[in-house]
Amino acid sequence: MRTYLLSALAATLFFCLPSAGHAQRALDSVMPLRGFCIDAPRPDGLDSFVRFINEELAPRKVNTLFLLVDYHYQFKTHPELTDSFALSAADAKKIVKACAQHSIRIIPQINLLGHQGWEEHPGKLLQAYPEFDETPWVKNPEKYVWPNADNLYCRSYCPLHPKVHEVLFAVIDELCDAFESTAFHGGMDEVFYLGESKCPRCGGQDPAVLFAGEVRTIHDHLAQKGRELWIWGDRLIDGKTTGIGMWEASYNNSYRAVDLIPKDVVICDWHYERPDKTAIYFAMKGFRVVTCPWRNSESGIAQVDDMIRFRDGSTKEMKPRFYGIVETTWSQTRFFLNGYYGSSNGAGNSSNTGNGNGTTANGAPRPTAWKCFRDVFQRIDSLGN
C-alpha cells in the first residue's frame, strides 16, 4: 500500500508540472505571446526606456510591448487632448525602431469607456469634452475616499454620445499610425458607470448590451484598417457568482457581453494576487486569451505554469486560444526602471505598498513589479530555447 501511495503521489506531481520536454521545444510553440505592459515613458526618460528594450526585453525574448499611452502623445488630429509630458512623433519612432530591431510588436493603449480620469480628477477627454461624461451630476470631491456615496472610482464616457467616436477614432488611428501597430488596446477595465439611470441616452439600458456595443464599435473601426482589438477581461466575468469580486470581475451585469462581442477580440485576463483560472473560461468562449500577472511572483510563476498546462491539455481547437503571458507594471516608467535597476525602491510609485526601504510594515520583502518581471520571464525562459 505504501509503495502504491508513493507511486500515485509521484504521478500526481508529474502531471501537475510542465513536462521536461518543453526545454527542447522552440519557445514560440510553448508560449506564443510573451508580453510586457508599461506606461509610455516621458520624453526625458525616452533614452533610458529604449536602453531597457535593448538590454532587458530583447534578451528575455519579449515579443509584444503594451504601451499605455492614453493622451501622453502630441496629437495632431486633436491637440486639445495632448496631456503634459507627451511624446512626439519622432519619440514614437525611436521606440518603433528599437522594437523592430528585436521583432517586438507594439500595441498602444488609450483607455476607453471607463478610466476617464482618476479618482477626483477627470482625464483629458472629459476635460476637453465634458458633454461626453456618463455621470455629469456626480461632483468631484475635494479629497477622494473609497468607498463613497456616489460609487465614484473613475468616470466613464457615454458610449451613445453621437460625437464621442468621431473624436476617439481620430486619435486611435493617429496613435496606431505613429507606432506602426497592427493592434490597439482599448482598456475597458473597471467600468463602474454604465447605463446610469440619469443618462439621457443610455439610462436604463442593459449594461451588457452597452458594453458589447462599444467593443464592437471600436473593433469594427480597427478592422477596417486590418488592426486587432485587445481589451482587459474583467468586465466579462461574473464577479458575484465566481466570488472574484467587483474589481477583477463585474457586479453590474456587463459580464453577459462575453457572448455578444466578436471572437477575434483578444482578452487580457488579469489576476494579481491569486492565479484564478479564468483563461479557461475565455478560451472556451472562443477567444484568444493572455494571462496578466503584476507584482506577486509566486502567483505570476503559477500563471506561467497554468498557461503551459492549459495548452498541453487542450484540443487542437482550444490550444491556440491560450496565447501567452503579459507582465504588467502599473507605475510611471521612471519608477519601474528606478526599482528595476536598484537606483531606488520605486519611491513615488503608489502601486507598490511599503515603507520606502524595500520591505512591508512587518519587515517582509515588498512585492514589486520588477521582481515579478524577472521571476516570470526566468520561468518562461526555462520553457524553451
Side-chain angles (χ1 to χ4, degrees), residues 316-328:
K316 62 181 178 61
E317 291 80 8
M318 288 276 289
K319 182 176 180 177
R321 299 175 196 163
F322 294 109
Y323 205 15
I325 294 287
V326 176
E327 171 65 27
T328 66

Side-chain angles (χ1 to χ4, degrees), residues 34-261:
R34 304 175 298 279
F36 182 73
C37 173
I38 195 167
D39 275 6
R42 297 184 177 189
D44 61 3
L46 180 60
D47 290 343
S48 296
F49 183 63
V50 168
R51 185 166 57 251
F52 179 77
I53 292 172
N54 291 327
E55 298 178 359
E56 306 298 337
L57 296 187
R60 288 179 170 84
K61 302 181 180 63
V62 171
N63 61 13
T64 306
L65 173 63
F66 291 79
L67 205 56
L68 309 181
V69 182
D70 286 313
Y71 299 102
H72 293 282
Y73 180 76
Q74 296 176 21
F75 290 105
K76 299 290 194 298
T77 54
H78 285 280
E80 73 277 10
L81 294 180
T82 297
D83 212 334
S84 58
F85 308 108
L87 296 172
S88 67
D91 293 334
K93 294 308 178 187
K94 290 182 180 179
I95 298 174
V96 170
K97 181 180 179 181
C99 288
Q101 290 174 340
H102 305 292
S103 299
I104 297 174
R105 182 191 196 190
I106 301 174
I107 302 180
Q109 175 183 296
I110 297 175
N111 269 314
L112 301 181
L113 198 54
H115 276 285
Q116 301 305 311
W118 182 252
E119 298 178 344
E120 70 266 30
H121 306 291
K124 290 298 293 186
L125 182 67
L126 296 187
Q127 289 175 30
Y129 299 96
E131 65 271 24
F132 293 168
D133 194 346
E134 171 75 358
T135 54
W137 59 88
V138 175
K139 304 304 179 184
N140 291 325
E142 292 185 9
K143 183 177 180 181
Y144 180 84
V145 295
W146 179 269
N148 56 73
D150 290 317
N151 200 33
L152 174 62
Y153 170 55
C154 293
R155 293 183 179 273
S156 303
Y157 64 72
C158 175
L160 298 186
H161 193 284
K163 297 292 187 180
V164 68
H165 294 111
E166 176 184 329
V167 175
L168 289 176
F169 288 166
V171 293
I172 289 170
D173 289 347
E174 185 176 356
L175 195 64
C176 288
D177 289 343
F179 285 98
E180 301 178 19
S181 56
T182 57
F184 170 78
H185 201 303
M188 304 190 75
D189 60 317
E190 298 176 337
V191 180
F192 290 174
Y193 288 146
L194 187 62
E196 295 297 308
S197 60
K198 294 182 181 179
C199 177
R201 292 166 297 273
C202 64
Q205 295 200 35
D206 185 340
V209 173
L210 289 169
F211 189 91
E214 185 64 2
V215 171
R216 184 174 291 279
T217 297
I218 302 299
H219 165 276
D220 291 353
H221 174 76
L222 291 168
Q224 292 174 9
K225 298 194 175 184
R227 290 171 175 146
E228 294 177 334
L229 174 62
W230 296 56
I231 63 172
W232 303 110
D234 53 287
R235 296 305 94 186
L236 302 176
I237 301 171
D238 182 350
K240 294 179 181 178
T241 300
T242 63
I244 290 175
M246 65 184 296
W247 299 95
E248 297 182 22
S250 170
Y251 271 14
N252 67 355
N253 295 321
S254 65
Y255 67 88
R256 288 182 284 106
V258 74
D259 293 318
L260 304 175
I261 66 175

Side-chain angles (χ1 to χ4, degrees), residues 22-34:
H22 288 306
Q24 305 304 316
R25 292 193 242 162
L27 189 55
D28 284 347
S29 67
V30 179
M31 187 72 70
L33 188 136
R34 304 175 298 279

Side-chain angles (χ1 to χ4, degrees), residues 226-302:
R227 290 171 175 146
E228 294 177 334
L229 174 62
W230 296 56
I231 63 172
W232 303 110
D234 53 287
R235 296 305 94 186
L236 302 176
I237 301 171
D238 182 350
K240 294 179 181 178
T241 300
T242 63
I244 290 175
M246 65 184 296
W247 299 95
E248 297 182 22
S250 170
Y251 271 14
N252 67 355
N253 295 321
S254 65
Y255 67 88
R256 288 182 284 106
V258 74
D259 293 318
L260 304 175
I261 66 175
K263 297 302 183 184
D264 59 348
V265 173
V266 184
I267 306 299
C268 297
D269 184 35
W270 61 275
H271 299 292
Y272 296 150
E273 305 303 326
R274 184 184 60 230
D276 289 309
K277 318 302 184 188
T278 45
I280 299 172
Y281 167 73
F282 288 117
M284 291 185 70
K285 288 289 187 178
F287 299 98
R288 283 172 295 161
V289 57
V290 295
T291 297
C292 305
W294 173 30
R295 64 180 184 178
N296 184 319
S297 290
E298 182 179 356
S299 181
I301 291 169

